Amino acid sequence: MSMKSEEAVQAIVANRGHAVLVPTMTAIKWVDKYDAQGLNVSCVPLMGGASALGLGIALAQPKRPVIVLDGDGSLLMQLPSLVTIASSGAANLVHIVFNNGVWFENLANIPVPGAQVVDFAATAKAVGFKHALRVGDKDGLVNALTTAISKGGPALIELVIEPEKAGVWMKDNPQPDLADFHFNRLGIELHRVHDALLQQGAA
C-alpha cells in the first residue's frame, strides 16, 4: 500500500494547524501548490538539510509544532541528524519522511542506495524518538500526524510513496534550469516566517 506525494502533502496541509512546515525536494512543489502563503520554510538548495533546519526552528519556537517534509535520499545524506533530534527532546518536532526510493522524483528518479532495506521508523525508534511508525495511506498519515502533534515528540512518520514517472528527464524532455528564485527562497521565507511569528507574538 502506498500513496502519491501530492496526496500526502494535501493531507498534511489540511491537518497542519498552526505548524511551521519545512519541506524539501518533491514536497516543496506540492506545498507551493496547496499552501504557498503558509508558514513555510523551503529547504532548497540545501539538499539533506531539512532535518537540521526543522530542529533549529523547533528549538527556537518550542510552543509551535514544526513539521519537516523530508525525502528518503535527503535524510540518508544527514542520517546522524536523527540522533541529534532525539537527544534534543524537541517535543514539538514531527519529522515526515517521503520514502519513494528515488532522488529527484518525476525528474531524474535516480534509485536511492539501500532504499529496499532501510527502515527509517525503526532507526528513529532505535535512537530515541518518542514515536516512530511507517504508514502507506492517507488515513494512516492523518492519524499519525494528529497523534504526534497532540502527544508530543520528537516523532517520525515514514510514508510509503509511489514515485511519479511521467516527467522524467529524457532526450525529448531535457532537464530545465532551476529558477534563480530557488537559490534565494530559503532566506526569503525564513524572514517572512520570522516576521509573521513576531506579529503573532510567538517569537
Side-chain angles (χ1 to χ4, degrees):
M1 189 180 301
S2 61
M3 65 187 118
K4 299 287 190 178
S5 296
E6 181 176 9
E7 177 188 10
V9 171
Q10 282 184 284
I12 293 165
V13 165
N15 293 276
R16 67 182 290 180
H18 66 297
V20 174
L21 293 188
V22 183
T24 193
M25 304 306 291
T26 302
I28 292 176
K29 175 176 69 174
W30 300 122
V31 171
D32 283 349
K33 179 175 180 178
Y34 293 107
D35 197 15
Q37 299 306 312
L39 293 176
N40 310 320
V41 179
S42 302
C43 187
V44 61
L46 183 60
M47 187 175 180
S51 54
L53 178 60
L55 175 60
I57 296 172
L59 293 176
Q61 296 289 329
K63 295 183 180 180
R64 180 179 293 271
V66 176
I67 304 172
V68 175
L69 309 186
D70 211 347
D72 50 352
S74 296
L75 180 54
L76 283 174
M77 296 173 70
Q78 295 291 340
L79 198 57
S81 66
L82 293 182
V83 178
T84 305
I85 292 169
S87 299
S88 76
N92 57 326
L93 182 63
V94 182
H95 192 163
I96 300 179
V97 183
F98 286 60
N99 189 346
N100 59 15
V102 299
W103 272 307
F104 309 109
E105 180 185 328
N106 205 34
L107 298 174
N109 280 12
I110 301 170
V112 172
Q116 303 303 316
V117 296
V118 66
D119 187 331
F120 291 105
T123 301
K125 286 180 181 178
V127 301
F129 270 62
K130 187 173 181 181
H131 308 286
L133 73 164
R134 176 184 288 189
V135 299
D137 57 56
K138 179 181 176 180
D139 289 341
L141 167 58
V142 172
N143 290 337
L145 180 58
T146 302
T147 298
I149 292 175
S150 64
K151 293 189 175 181
L156 183 139
I157 303 169
E158 180 180 356
L159 305 182
V160 181
I161 297 292
E162 179 183 348
E164 298 284 358
K165 302 176 182 178
V168 174
W169 299 327
M170 296 181 180
K171 184 177 180 179
D172 58 349
N173 184 40
Q175 176 182 354
D177 290 333
L178 186 64
D180 289 344
F181 170 67
H182 288 295
F183 292 95
N184 302 311
R185 68 180 296 172
L186 175 56
I188 292 170
E189 291 179 3
L190 276 170
H191 284 292
R192 181 172 61 82
V193 169
H194 176 265
D195 292 345
L197 294 178
L198 279 176
Q199 291 178 1
Q200 295 174 22

